Amino acid sequence: MTVNLTRIYTKLGDGGETHLGDMSRVPKTHPRIEAYGVVDELNAQLGVTLTLPDLPEQQATWLRRIQNDLFDVGADLAVPHGGDRERLRVDEGYTSWLEGACDEVNATLAPLKSFVLPGGTPAAAHLHVCRTVCRRAERRAILVQDGNPEVVRYLNRLSDLLFILSRAANGGDEPLWEPGATKA
């Protein structure tokens, strides 16, 4: 599958509408546009995270794969089901890979004794931002009425992986919530 982009601006969206992948036109506030827009934002946040020098190389390799997979997620969200053409769809293989990565990294971490406060190392902090954007993408994908349920599962599992990777990036020295710590 190739994509050819010859011109970046078309002026077709100047009136507040855009094309979906099946060439139907919808408002730019349509749930599909909102969903793949947040997926795009997540991808950009992952790109920022990949610039950090303290990001472990294994994590960087996985995040680059996830960036590509997120384009597949966006392609899935951009095209309503139906029609006469076969379309790129996220399937259970995407989610299974995330589950394997979660299990691999989580096995190296100590059990949690409290909720984790976002922060720690720069890589961990950025991964927490990615996790929260991913959760928003998941909520937006749920609002796509005829959306692929595997997209929602993928985003749910991806947010889990981002949380686990943030813990690993902190190397066991993560800031933990202390309930009522500042209460007089």
Side-chain angles (χ1 to χ4, degrees):
M1 177 182 301
T2 61
V3 177
N4 295 310
L5 302 173
T6 56
R7 196 169 82 187
I8 301 304
Y9 71 91
T10 63
K11 301 181 184 180
L12 295 173
D14 291 353
E17 289 188 340
T18 191
H19 283 104
L20 292 176
D22 66 354
M23 298 312 290
S24 61
R25 291 197 53 83
V26 296
K28 289 187 176 186
T29 55
H30 188 278
R32 283 186 183 281
I33 307 304
E34 290 286 340
Y36 72 69
V38 180
V39 168
D40 186 36
E41 179 185 351
L42 171 58
N43 212 334
Q45 289 287 355
L46 289 170
V48 171
T49 303
L50 282 164
T51 69
L52 299 172
D54 67 324
L55 186 69
E57 185 51 42
Q58 178 63 57
Q59 290 191 18
T61 299
W62 286 352
L63 294 182
R64 284 188 288 276
R65 174 190 172 144
I66 290 165
Q67 281 193 299
N68 195 80
D69 288 350
L70 285 173
F71 264 80
D72 293 354
V73 168
D76 190 318
L77 287 166
V79 181
H81 285 264
D84 56 356
R85 286 182 52 199
E86 185 175 330
R87 300 294 186 158
L88 178 60
R89 298 292 178 202
V90 172
D91 62 29
E92 63 188 29
Y94 290 76
T95 306
S96 294
W97 180 83
L98 290 173
E99 290 171 350
C102 284
D103 293 343
E104 182 179 327
V105 178
N106 204 44
T108 69
L109 301 172
L112 277 173
K113 302 213 185 302
S114 185
F115 288 100
V116 175
L117 299 175
T121 68
H126 276 78
L127 286 161
H128 277 292
V129 171
C130 292
R131 173 187 57 79
T132 62
V133 174
C134 188
R135 287 286 189 204
R136 183 160 31 95
E138 177 187 2
R139 293 190 302 271
R140 295 299 188 272
I142 289 168
L143 297 175
V144 176
Q145 294 207 338
D146 67 339
N148 178 357
E150 197 60 43
V151 164
V152 175
R153 283 190 284 277
Y154 176 86
L155 292 169
N156 183 275
R157 219 64 85 249
L158 177 55
S159 65
D160 294 337
L161 178 59
L162 293 168
F163 174 75
I164 292 166
L165 292 178
S166 72
R167 292 193 64 213
N170 274 327
D173 187 23
E174 54 204 345
L176 297 176
W177 177 44
E178 298 175 34
T182 60
K183 189 175 179 179

